Amino acid sequence: ADIAYVYHPPGTIGLPAASIKLFRRIPFVIDVQDLWPDTLTISGMFKSRFGLWAVGKYCQLIYKMANKIVVLSPGFREILIKRGVSNCKIEVVYNWCEENQVPCKCNKSNLARKLGFYGKFNVVFAGTMGKAQALDAVLEAADLIDERFPSIQFVFVGGGVNVIRLKQKAIDLKLRNVLFLPRQPVSEIGTILNLADVLLVHLKDDPLFKITIPSKTQAYMAVGRPILMAVKGDAAEIVTKAKAGLTCIPEDANCIAKIVKIFFKMSCSELNTMGNNGKIFYEQELALRVGVHRFEKIFQSVVA
């Protein structure tokens, strides 16, 4: 081989140790989708100081050996530079979504009635509901909105370790404006997203998430609906740059409620313009063809 491409997906520590010898012989590009040991630290599932130190040293070794390092956000790039990785090694290539799942036109009114969306202003969160998503604040925002704006509905689609607890909290708060839907087939989720008036991204207010771009961001943009980005940093900057939605402070129920009400008071034309802006930005900056072109240039530079 003239070059090796190594994908470092979320949830994995690094390259197999046996690969190190191989990659000393040929140029290689590593695609970093998760920062370690940072993710281990924030998860709280791994607390050994020596273990965290060892993981950090291992990753530094891999970064040193790599000819190029691809990261998913400018924030990742800045962190690696601060850790001593050469600036000229690092390239930012944004992730794309499963583009074949972006919906075509369909009979939205029938599906809206079936799912419970019809006649409501639907703020939709779709995806994993775990500790990192910190969705208690969203339920508290729904509580603040409930009586004054009865047509606003918060919809949670998906699964996760916190689903049962969140459902119970909604019952305890006596929320009438919250709807939970189970995890949907990948082939159908795009059509459901297309029913939303606003698509919500929410993560815990943690420094690590300031440099993270949640994968649902790309899917939401590709669908072409307005986005409420409750994540600080790079993700918020993308939405602002694209004029694809509004941002708010994560884990701040009052701020979330305030921005939802701003969306609610917008005209259909204003909402559609935001959605279209996001779709255009996705096609120009984040799409699969754009990412492939950037990777191709990186591979060519390494081989050269």
Side-chain angles (χ1 to χ4, degrees):
D2 296 314
I3 187 172
Y5 165 73
V6 184
Y7 179 61
H8 179 183
T12 61
I13 292 176
L15 304 178
S19 301
I20 293 179
K21 188 174 181 180
L22 169 65
F23 295 128
R24 282 178 176 163
R25 297 175 181 171
I26 62 173
F28 78 94
V29 176
I30 181 168
D31 186 356
V32 178
Q33 296 282 311
D34 216 347
L35 281 183
W36 294 76
D38 311 66
T39 303
L40 285 173
T41 304
I42 193 175
S43 71
M45 297 175 68
F46 191 77
K47 298 180 180 180
S48 167
R49 289 185 179 181
F50 175 77
L52 293 170
W53 174 85
V55 169
K57 287 295 183 181
Y58 182 74
C59 289
Q60 287 298 110
L61 171 63
I62 300 302
Y63 299 151
K64 183 178 181 180
M65 290 165 50
N67 296 80
K68 282 287 185 179
I69 302 168
V70 176
V71 294
L72 57 78
S73 74
F76 271 38
R77 184 175 183 274
E78 292 304 315
I79 290 291
L80 293 186
I81 291 172
K82 288 178 181 177
R83 293 178 182 174
V85 179
S86 174
N87 179 25
C88 63
K89 270 192 179 186
I90 309 170
E91 303 285 348
V92 177
V93 179
Y94 294 109
N95 285 343
W96 49 86
C97 70
E98 292 285 344
E99 295 177 0
N100 60 334
Q101 305 303 332
V102 176
C104 302
K105 292 182 179 180
C106 63
N107 191 328
K108 295 173 68 172
S109 60
N110 286 346
L111 183 59
R113 284 189 172 91
K114 177 182 177 182
L115 296 176
F117 284 49
Y118 190 78
K120 299 287 186 179
F121 184 87
N122 296 286
V123 180
V124 177
F125 174 92
T128 301
M129 294 178 238
K131 293 181 180 180
Q133 287 68 40
L135 294 172
D136 291 78
V138 180
L139 290 180
E140 291 158 14
D143 190 29
L144 294 172
I145 287 174
D146 197 355
E147 294 183 1
R148 291 188 57 197
F149 299 87
S151 60
I152 295 177
Q153 177 172 249
F154 289 80
V155 182
F156 299 88
V157 185
V161 296
N162 276 353
V163 172
I164 294 175
R165 188 183 62 76
L166 290 169
K167 286 181 177 180
Q168 186 57 53
K169 180 166 184 170
I171 293 170
D172 294 342
L173 292 173
K174 299 179 181 178
L175 298 178
R176 298 166 295 178
N177 60 348
V178 171
L179 174 65
F180 284 92
L181 296 176
R183 193 187 304 273
Q184 302 295 313
V186 175
S187 59
E188 297 178 17
I189 190 63
T191 303
I192 294 173
L193 295 180
N194 201 34
L195 293 173
D197 294 284
V198 174
L199 290 166
L200 171 65
V201 186
H202 190 279
L203 285 175
K204 185 178 180 180
D205 190 7
D206 185 277
L208 178 60
F209 294 138
K210 290 181 181 180
I211 61 170
T212 298
I213 300 174
S215 59
K216 59 172 58 65
T217 304
Q218 288 88 339
Y220 285 3
M221 283 187 162
V223 167
R225 303 305 301 148
I227 296 172
L228 171 50
M229 179 60 71
V231 181
K232 294 179 180 178
D234 288 343
E237 288 178 14
I238 280 183
V239 170
T240 300
K241 181 180 179 181
K243 299 181 180 179
L246 301 174
T247 64
C248 70
I249 302 170
E251 294 193 89
D252 187 327
N254 287 299
C255 187
I256 295 168
K258 176 184 175 182
I259 301 302
V260 168
K261 286 184 279 188
I262 291 174
F263 274 120
F264 179 69
K265 293 175 182 177
M266 288 181 178
S267 67
C268 288
S269 176
E270 290 174 307
L271 293 172
N272 288 336
T273 296
M274 279 187 171
N276 288 333
N277 287 344
K279 192 175 184 69
I280 291 169
F281 186 87
Y282 176 83
E283 292 170 352
Q284 293 178 344
E285 301 290 337
L286 310 176
L288 171 61
R289 60 175 179 76
V290 176
V292 168
H293 177 66
R294 289 175 179 165
F295 269 111
E296 183 178 15
K297 291 178 67 176
I298 291 167
F299 294 153
Q300 288 173 346
S301 71
V302 171
V303 171

